[in-house]
Amino acid sequence: MKILLLADQAEPTLWEHLDKRKLEGVELVLSCGDLPPEYLTSLRARYDAPLLYVLGNHDLRYKTAPPIGCTSVDRRLIMLGGRKIVGFSGSRWYNGNINQYTEEQMGGFIRKL
């Protein structure tokens, strides 16, 4: 399975200067957080592949403006092409802001799943 994996920085070269043949046949786009929801929406429109995402510790706008056509895998198990994919949003707790979790909290999420 050909996967395009992204995190932390929106990369305009994915469509501006890159040899498009390198991205032919992408079967899944995975976003690992801290990317603008509009960026994910544009990637989903560009690639004919599912786009799955988790939130990073800086993703503050997803509740009011979620990425269109994309699927959150936060604390969910997804079957895709015979493969199991699970995701956990956020980061380790460091100052108590949104999408930050303690080891105990994350352990609870994992046990529930």
Side-chain angles (χ1 to χ4, degrees):
M1 175 178 270
K2 191 170 186 178
I3 299 172
L4 175 59
L5 180 66
L6 308 153
D8 296 309
Q9 183 174 340
E11 187 55 59
T13 59
L14 284 176
W15 52 77
E16 288 177 357
H17 306 292
L18 187 68
D19 180 353
K20 292 181 184 11
R21 293 174 293 176
K22 292 181 180 181
L23 293 174
E24 285 179 3
V26 168
E27 299 170 73
L28 173 63
V29 180
L30 284 176
S31 172
C32 296
D34 293 335
L35 290 167
E38 304 83 17
Y39 181 67
L40 298 188
T41 297
S42 68
L43 287 174
R44 178 61 188 97
R46 182 155 189 87
Y47 297 101
D48 186 27
L51 192 151
L52 307 179
Y53 68 92
V54 293
L55 300 177
N57 58 315
H58 299 290
D59 289 328
L60 308 175
R61 298 181 295 128
Y62 278 64
K63 282 188 181 183
T64 57
I68 298 167
C70 306
T71 303
S72 170
V73 291
D74 181 33
R75 298 180 232 168
R76 294 178 57 202
L77 173 67
I78 303 284
M79 289 294 295
L80 187 67
R83 291 177 172 80
K84 294 177 184 177
I85 299 171
V86 65
F88 295 95
S89 289
S91 72
R92 183 177 237 172
W93 187 91
Y94 61 93
N95 69 4
N97 271 338
I98 192 168
N99 301 326
Q100 295 178 23
Y101 305 100
T102 64
E103 295 277 334
E104 184 177 289
Q105 288 173 309
M106 191 57 71
F109 298 155
I110 293 167
R111 283 188 295 280
K112 285 180 185 175
L113 195 66

